[in-house]
Amino acid sequence: RREITAGEQVAAREMQGLQAIEAINIAYVGAWREDKLYYNGARLAELVADANRYSSSRVMIEGDIETVSNHLVQGSFNANDIDGLLSVLSEIYPVEIDRSEAGLVRIRAASDRAP
Protein backbone atom coordinates (compact mmCIF):
# COMPACT_ATOMS: atom_id res chain seq x y z
CA ARG A 1 0.00 0.00 0.00
CA ARG A 2 1.25 3.48 -0.92
CA GLU A 3 -0.19 6.90 -0.18
CA ILE A 4 0.44 9.56 -2.80
CA THR A 5 -0.34 13.25 -3.05
CA ALA A 6 -0.85 15.67 -5.94
CA GLY A 7 2.08 15.58 -8.35
CA GLU A 8 3.10 12.03 -7.46
CA GLN A 9 2.57 8.62 -9.00
CA VAL A 10 3.21 5.00 -8.20
CA ALA A 11 3.35 2.05 -10.58
CA ALA A 12 2.29 -1.51 -9.89
CA ARG A 13 4.10 -4.23 -11.78
CA GLU A 14 2.86 -7.82 -11.81
CA MET A 15 6.14 -9.41 -10.74
CA GLN A 16 7.56 -6.60 -8.55
CA GLY A 17 4.41 -5.24 -6.91
CA LEU A 18 4.13 -1.58 -5.99
CA GLN A 19 7.08 0.56 -6.99
CA ALA A 20 8.53 3.62 -5.27
CA ILE A 21 6.58 6.86 -5.33
CA GLU A 22 7.83 9.24 -8.00
CA ALA A 23 7.13 12.82 -8.98
CA ILE A 24 5.18 13.15 -12.23
CA ASN A 25 5.76 15.57 -15.05
CA ILE A 26 2.49 17.48 -15.14
CA ALA A 27 2.96 18.25 -18.85
CA TYR A 28 2.72 14.51 -19.63
CA VAL A 29 -0.48 13.87 -17.70
CA GLY A 30 -2.88 15.25 -20.31
CA ALA A 31 -0.60 14.72 -23.31
CA TRP A 32 -3.08 12.31 -24.91
CA ARG A 33 -5.43 15.27 -25.39
CA GLU A 34 -2.83 16.75 -27.74
CA ASP A 35 -2.17 13.42 -29.48
CA LYS A 36 1.22 12.98 -27.83
CA LEU A 37 2.63 9.77 -26.38
CA TYR A 38 5.41 10.20 -23.80
CA TYR A 39 7.54 7.40 -22.44
CA ASN A 40 10.19 7.53 -19.74
CA GLY A 41 11.51 4.02 -19.24
CA ALA A 42 8.32 2.26 -20.35
CA ARG A 43 8.56 -1.25 -21.75
CA LEU A 44 8.13 -1.62 -25.50
CA ALA A 45 5.08 -3.78 -24.75
CA GLU A 46 3.39 -0.67 -23.27
CA LEU A 47 4.16 1.32 -26.42
CA VAL A 48 2.63 -1.48 -28.52
CA ALA A 49 -0.52 -1.41 -26.37
CA ASP A 50 -0.79 2.34 -26.99
CA ALA A 51 -0.07 1.90 -30.71
CA ASN A 52 -3.03 -0.48 -30.91
CA ARG A 53 -5.28 2.23 -29.48
CA TYR A 54 -4.34 4.68 -32.23
CA SER A 55 -3.50 2.52 -35.24
CA SER A 56 -5.90 1.14 -37.82
CA SER A 57 -3.55 -1.86 -38.15
CA ARG A 58 -3.04 -4.42 -35.41
CA VAL A 59 0.45 -4.17 -33.91
CA MET A 60 1.95 -7.25 -32.27
CA ILE A 61 5.25 -8.55 -30.94
CA GLU A 62 6.25 -12.02 -32.04
CA GLY A 63 9.26 -14.32 -31.89
CA ASP A 64 11.40 -13.57 -28.82
CA ILE A 65 8.50 -11.77 -27.17
CA GLU A 66 10.09 -11.40 -23.74
CA THR A 67 13.27 -9.75 -25.04
CA VAL A 68 11.48 -7.44 -27.47
CA SER A 69 8.76 -6.51 -24.97
CA ASN A 70 11.31 -5.50 -22.37
CA HIS A 71 13.22 -2.92 -24.43
CA LEU A 72 12.86 0.33 -22.50
CA VAL A 73 11.47 3.33 -24.36
CA GLN A 74 12.18 6.96 -23.66
CA GLY A 75 10.86 9.75 -25.86
CA SER A 76 7.78 11.45 -27.22
CA PHE A 77 5.82 10.49 -30.29
CA ASN A 78 2.89 11.78 -32.30
CA ALA A 79 -0.11 9.52 -31.69
CA ASN A 80 -1.38 10.37 -35.18
CA ASP A 81 1.75 8.92 -36.77
CA ILE A 82 1.96 5.37 -35.43
CA ASP A 83 3.59 4.21 -38.66
CA GLY A 84 6.38 6.74 -38.11
CA LEU A 85 6.70 5.70 -34.46
CA LEU A 86 7.09 2.05 -35.49
CA SER A 87 9.65 2.93 -38.17
CA VAL A 88 11.80 4.67 -35.57
CA LEU A 89 11.85 1.54 -33.40
CA SER A 90 13.97 -0.37 -35.90
CA GLU A 91 16.50 2.49 -35.89
CA ILE A 92 16.77 2.51 -32.08
CA TYR A 93 16.41 -1.16 -31.12
CA PRO A 94 17.55 -4.44 -32.67
CA VAL A 95 14.06 -5.13 -34.03
CA GLU A 96 12.50 -5.36 -37.43
CA ILE A 97 9.07 -4.15 -38.44
CA ASP A 98 7.16 -6.45 -40.77
CA ARG A 99 4.26 -4.86 -42.67
CA SER A 100 3.93 -7.66 -45.25
CA GLU A 101 0.35 -8.52 -44.26
CA ALA A 102 -2.37 -5.90 -44.75
CA GLY A 103 -3.80 -4.65 -41.45
CA LEU A 104 -1.04 -6.25 -39.35
CA VAL A 105 2.33 -4.97 -38.15
CA ARG A 106 4.70 -7.49 -36.59
CA ILE A 107 7.63 -6.47 -34.42
CA ARG A 108 10.30 -9.07 -33.83
CA ALA A 109 13.93 -9.25 -32.78
CA ALA A 110 16.13 -8.52 -35.80
CA SER A 111 17.58 -12.05 -35.53
CA ASP A 112 14.11 -13.72 -35.44
CA ARG A 113 13.45 -13.79 -39.16
CA ALA A 114 10.25 -15.59 -40.10
CA PRO A 115 10.75 -18.62 -42.38
Side-chain angles (χ1 to χ4, degrees), residues 63-84:
D64 185 357
I65 294 171
E66 185 174 336
T67 298
V68 174
S69 294
N70 286 316
H71 287 303
L72 298 180
V73 179
Q74 185 160 344
S76 63
F77 302 93
N78 182 340
N80 293 320
D81 185 16
I82 297 301
D83 199 48

Side-chain angles (χ1 to χ4, degrees), residues 11-73:
R13 306 228 191 275
E14 187 175 344
M15 300 303 286
Q16 296 97 7
L18 287 174
Q19 304 298 294
I21 295 172
E22 298 177 350
I24 59 171
N25 184 330
I26 301 299
Y28 295 171
V29 173
W32 61 272
R33 293 182 187 133
E34 297 175 7
D35 297 320
K36 298 289 182 201
L37 300 171
Y38 290 101
Y39 303 96
N40 186 12
R43 294 174 54 241
L44 185 63
E46 294 174 51
L47 182 142
V48 168
D50 288 342
N52 279 310
R53 289 186 190 95
Y54 290 91
S55 178
S56 58
S57 295
R58 181 170 172 240
V59 181
M60 63 182 286
I61 298 171
E62 67 175 24
D64 185 357
I65 294 171
E66 185 174 336
T67 298
V68 174
S69 294
N70 286 316
H71 287 303
L72 298 180
V73 179

Side-chain angles (χ1 to χ4, degrees), residues 66-105:
E66 185 174 336
T67 298
V68 174
S69 294
N70 286 316
H71 287 303
L72 298 180
V73 179
Q74 185 160 344
S76 63
F77 302 93
N78 182 340
N80 293 320
D81 185 16
I82 297 301
D83 199 48
L85 179 158
L86 295 172
S87 294
V88 168
L89 293 180
S90 62
E91 296 175 20
I92 300 171
Y93 303 103
V95 298
E96 65 179 29
I97 309 301
D98 177 356
R99 295 179 176 91
S100 62
E101 188 176 331
L104 180 62
V105 178

